[in-house]
Structure formats: C-alpha cells, structure tokens
C-alpha cells in the first residue's frame, strides 16, 4: 500500500513472517478444521464399534442378546452415517466466493449442526454403548453366559440405574465442553451476523 | 503459479493484510496467527482467482472472511496503537488527527470496523456491499451511522 515513511512495527513483523514461511507446511487453525478432524475420529471409532457389534452378534448364541446387539448395531450405524453426512459437508477452507455474511453464516450453521450431533450422541450413543459394555463386561467378569448374567433382577436394576445416571451426565458434559470450547466463538459469530443483517 | 510469484503478489498487497489484521488482533502473537491463517487461506484459494476482480479486492475478501470466522484467543479490546499507519492516515491531515481517528475506530464493533476501513480505502458502496454480502442501501445507511458515531467518539476523546 502507499507507505512512504519508514516501515512500521507491523510491516517489519509481516516481512519477517514472510521471510520464514513455508507455504507447503502452513497449517490452518480454523475452528471448522478442528471439528472436521474430531468428526473423522468419531466416524472411525464408531465404525470400529460397529465391527465389534457384528463380531459379537455372530459369536453369541442367545437370540435375545443377538436382538439387543442388533439394535445397538443399528443405532451405531445411524450415528456413524449421520456423522458422515455432516463431515461430507465440512469445508474448512474459507471461501472467497462467499461474501462475509454468507461465510459467517456457513461457519455458524456448520458448527451448530456439529454441536447438535455431539449432544445427540451424548444423549443416546454413550449411555447405550456403556450399557452394551456393562452386559458383555459383566458376563465375562462373572464367568456366566450373558443371558444368565442379565436374568438376575439386581443386575437388570443396576443396568437401568446406570443408564439413567449416564444419560443426563453425558448430555450435560457434552453441552458443557462444547460451550467451553466454542461458546464465545459462536456468540461472536452470531452477534456479527446480526449486526450485518441489521437494516436488511 | 510458483510460490515465489504468489509471495510477490502478497508482498505487493501486504498493506491490506497488515491493516485488516491490526484492526482485529490485540498483540504480536495474535497478529502472527492471523498472518499465518490468511496466508494459508490465500494460498489454498489462489487457484480460484480468475482475475475477474482486482487482486486487492480478492485479498480483502480472504482477509475479512478469515479474520471474522477465526476463533479469538484474546479479548477484543484493542490498544489505541493497534491500527497500522496505512491508508487511514491519508484521510487525515496530521498525525494527531490520525491518532484520534484510529482511537475512535478501535472503539467500533467488528462489522463497523470492516465497513469503515473498506470505505476509507476508497471502495464504492456497491463494492463494499458485494464484499460484505448486504445491499448497497444498507451499506449507505450503516456508513452514515458509523460516521456519526466516529465524529461523536472523536469529540468525546478530544474532550477527555
């Protein structure tokens, strides 16, 4: 730009930055990039869980257990699929084609969709997975077949109490951490979107 | 285009990056983070630059889209000297006026900072509207309000 005087502190800083930068090694710290990575890990982890359920369905004999595991498998497949749908829409790169308002709205809606997905996962996926683990772990630990282990009334009650406790804990923990990580950023985005839309 | 050529384009228009970053960054660490993010996004978007718009307008879009969608690390209150000595200075006649104007601009919200900077850089209202994604009429109304706010802030700052 039209600077005719001595370079400012900022110009010196920028010149020093340009002198040391390696374009191919640059990394983005865009929040969407971080969410995208987390979502990918979730999908991979969910895929592994699905495979484990498949193996368990084949391995157990009791029809009722097969049915319970099949329900868990269906739920896991749904969770992985819905995660993939959000992941496929992620574009961590800032778009030049979009004006500022559209780009801020894209970031905001993508992030809120991701957070909603995480909250639903917290509400259903983690407690149900824990219940599945409880059944299989309990059976393995007691040395009894799963059906015999689960036929004990106290064990069933314990399982219900466990799920009832885990449901709100998982949901509010997910909500708390999302707010901690992205609450301020989302509030900034929303405020700026509203400011720009004002008078439209 | 080679890296060397790309970096030369960036050097030629570095004033835009420095100006936008100085509007929103609170210290040198945050400035460096923004430089890195803007350069990353510009490099990744470079193949899409078809030359239909001016390079400076294209770079302005990259800078504003990047900065306004980045997660802030620090508080948004900026020190008075956080805005660079760039084209804003051309709008005033003395260093004192420039400093007063800079101080007033730092007190504006994120969106008003972007709008007034584009305006002071000579962009027409339809161009600002296209960059920001609002109607030219809304730009006109907002600029009118921002100018009133700036003159009030300058008066208040001078009276203090």
């Amino acid at each position: 730009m039209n600077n005719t005087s001595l370079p400012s502190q900022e110009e010196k800083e920028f010149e020093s930055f340009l002198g040391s930068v390696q374009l191919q090694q640059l990394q983005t710290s865009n929040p969407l990039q971080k969410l995208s990575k987390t979502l990918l890990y979730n999908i991979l982890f969910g895929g592994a869980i699905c495979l484990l359920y498949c193996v368990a369905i084949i391995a157990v004999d009791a029809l009722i257990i097969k049915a319970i595991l099949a329900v868990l498998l269906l739920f896991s497949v749904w969770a992985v699929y819905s995660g993939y749908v959000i992941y496929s829409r992620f574009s961590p790169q800032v778009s030049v084609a979009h004006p500022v308002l559209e780009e801020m709205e894209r970031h905001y809606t993508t992030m809120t969709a991701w957070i909603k997905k995480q909250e639903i996962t917290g509400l259903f996926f983690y407690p149900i997975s824990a219940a599945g683990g409880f059944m299989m772990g309990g059976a393995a630990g007691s040395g009894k077949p799963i059906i015999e282990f689960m036929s004990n009334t106290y064990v069933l009650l314990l399982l219900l109490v466990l799920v009832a406790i885990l449901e709100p804990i998982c949901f509010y923990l997910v909500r708390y951490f999302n707010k901690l990580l992205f609450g301020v950023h989302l509030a900034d985005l929303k405020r700026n979107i509203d400011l720009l839309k004002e008078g439209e | 285009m080679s890296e060397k050529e790309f970096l030369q384009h960036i050097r030629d228009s570095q004033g835009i990056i420095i100006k936008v970053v100085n509007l929103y960054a609170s210290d040198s660490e945050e400035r460096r983070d923004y430089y890195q993010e803007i350069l990353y996004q510009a490099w990744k978007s470079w193949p899409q630059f078809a030359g239909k718009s001016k390079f400076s307008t294209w770079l302005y879009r990259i800078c504003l889209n990047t900065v306004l969608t980045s997660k802030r690390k620090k508080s948004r209150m900026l020190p008075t000297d956080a805005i660079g000595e760039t084209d804003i200075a051309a709008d005033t006649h003395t260093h004192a006026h420039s400093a007063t104007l800079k101080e007033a601009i730092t007190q504006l919200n994120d969106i008003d900072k972007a709008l007034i900077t584009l305006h002071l850089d000579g962009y027409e209202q339809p161009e600002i509207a296209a960059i920001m994604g609002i109607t030219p009429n809304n730009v006109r109304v907002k600029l009118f309000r921002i100018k009133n706010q700036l003159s009030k802030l300058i008066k208040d700052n001078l009276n203090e």
Side-chain angles (χ1 to χ4, degrees):
Chain A
M1 304 294 281
N2 55 359
N3 292 317
T4 50
S5 54
L6 287 171
S8 66
Q9 175 65 26
E10 291 81 20
E11 283 170 326
K12 284 181 198 165
E13 271 179 18
F14 188 72
E15 195 50 49
S16 147
F17 166 74
L18 273 188
S20 64
V21 77
Q22 299 278 331
L23 284 176
Q24 304 294 347
Q25 288 171 9
L26 275 177
Q27 300 277 327
T28 176
S29 57
N30 189 290
L32 289 190
Q33 178 69 25
K34 288 179 182 168
L35 295 190
S36 172
K37 268 188 189 169
T38 312
L39 202 49
L40 181 63
Y41 294 144
N42 284 357
I43 290 167
L44 293 174
F45 183 71
I49 296 279
C50 288
L51 281 176
L52 278 176
Y53 279 137
C54 288
V55 171
I57 287 170
I58 295 165
V60 296
D61 295 328
L63 204 61
I64 182 75
I65 303 300
K66 272 185 192 283
I68 292 169
L69 288 173
V71 171
L72 292 176
L73 174 65
L74 279 177
F75 196 82
S76 304
V77 168
W78 169 79
V80 170
Y81 174 73
S82 59
Y84 175 75
V85 169
I86 296 177
Y87 180 76
S88 63
R89 290 177 191 154
F90 258 76
S91 174
Q93 199 177 317
V94 162
S95 170
V96 196
H98 297 154
V100 171
L101 176 61
E102 213 175 301
E103 189 62 10
M104 287 194 301
E105 284 179 323
R106 186 178 74 84
H107 276 244
Y108 185 78
T109 50
T110 310
M111 287 181 78
T112 44
W114 183 89
I115 285 170
K116 201 170 179 183
K117 153 90 182 133
Q118 289 300 107
E119 284 178 358
I120 290 171
T121 307
L123 194 59
F124 296 109
F125 192 70
Y126 298 140
I128 288 173
S129 295
F134 176 86
M135 281 194 299
M136 287 195 262
S142 66
K144 294 175 183 170
I146 292 177
I147 198 130
E148 192 184 328
F149 173 71
M150 292 305 296
S151 62
N152 185 321
T153 315
Y154 290 115
V155 171
L156 268 177
L157 273 175
L158 191 62
L159 176 64
L160 289 175
V161 169
L162 181 73
V163 172
I165 292 170
L166 283 175
E167 281 285 336
I169 289 177
C170 290
F171 178 74
Y172 284 109
L173 266 181
V174 168
R175 178 166 276 191
Y176 170 75
F177 281 115
N178 280 334
K179 199 170 180 183
L180 193 70
L181 287 172
F182 304 111
V184 175
H185 180 55
L186 280 173
D188 283 350
L189 275 175
K190 184 77 175 73
R191 186 180 50 247
N192 285 338
I193 289 167
D194 290 344
L195 280 170
L196 208 44
K197 275 184 166 174
E198 209 175 60
E200 281 289 289
Chain B
M1 169 168 285
S2 71
E3 282 187 24
K4 207 175 167 184
E5 286 170 297
F6 171 77
L7 286 174
Q8 191 52 51
H9 269 278
I10 292 291
R11 275 198 175 87
D12 291 344
S13 301
Q14 69 179 34
I16 292 171
I17 300 176
I18 293 169
K19 186 184 328 187
V20 172
V21 167
N22 282 331
L23 276 173
Y24 297 95
S26 55
D27 59 25
S28 63
E29 188 195 337
E30 200 172 17
R31 278 199 292 272
R32 196 176 171 85
D33 289 345
Y34 278 142
Y35 292 152
Q36 183 163 319
E37 190 62 31
I38 287 170
L39 206 63
Y40 172 88
Q41 297 293 350
W43 176 239
K44 291 286 173 189
S45 301
W46 180 246
Q48 297 162 30
F49 178 64
K52 285 177 188 169
S53 60
K54 283 191 292 182
F55 181 79
S56 55
T57 307
W58 181 84
L59 192 59
Y60 241 123
R61 278 195 172 208
I62 294 268
C63 290
L64 288 175
N65 280 359
T66 302
V67 167
L68 288 170
T69 56
S70 291
K71 197 176 166 189
R72 296 277 174 80
K73 285 181 184 165
K74 304 268 163 56
S75 151
R76 43 191 64 243
M77 290 304 291
L78 300 178
T80 304
D81 61 353
I83 295 196
E85 296 279 350
T86 53
D87 289 353
I88 287 168
D91 234 47
T92 57
H93 300 296
T94 65
H95 179 74
H97 284 156
S98 171
T100 314
L101 180 63
K102 281 191 288 179
E103 190 180 344
I105 290 175
T106 58
Q107 294 170 52
L108 297 175
N109 66 47
D110 286 351
I111 298 302
D112 289 351
K113 278 178 194 170
L115 287 165
I116 197 68
T117 307
L118 286 163
H119 174 69
L120 291 174
D121 251 358
Y123 283 87
E124 299 291 332
Q125 285 170 10
E127 289 176 298
I128 298 174
I131 291 171
M132 300 302 287
I134 56 178
T135 60
N137 190 48
N138 198 4
V139 172
R140 186 179 57 78
V141 172
K142 283 187 192 307
L143 284 175
F144 179 76
R145 183 184 46 75
I146 295 166
K147 283 175 189 172
N148 281 341
Q149 196 182 345
L150 276 178
S151 53
K152 187 177 177 300
L153 283 168
I154 288 167
K155 267 183 205 163
D156 290 349
N157 291 342
L158 287 174
N159 288 337
E160 275 174 12

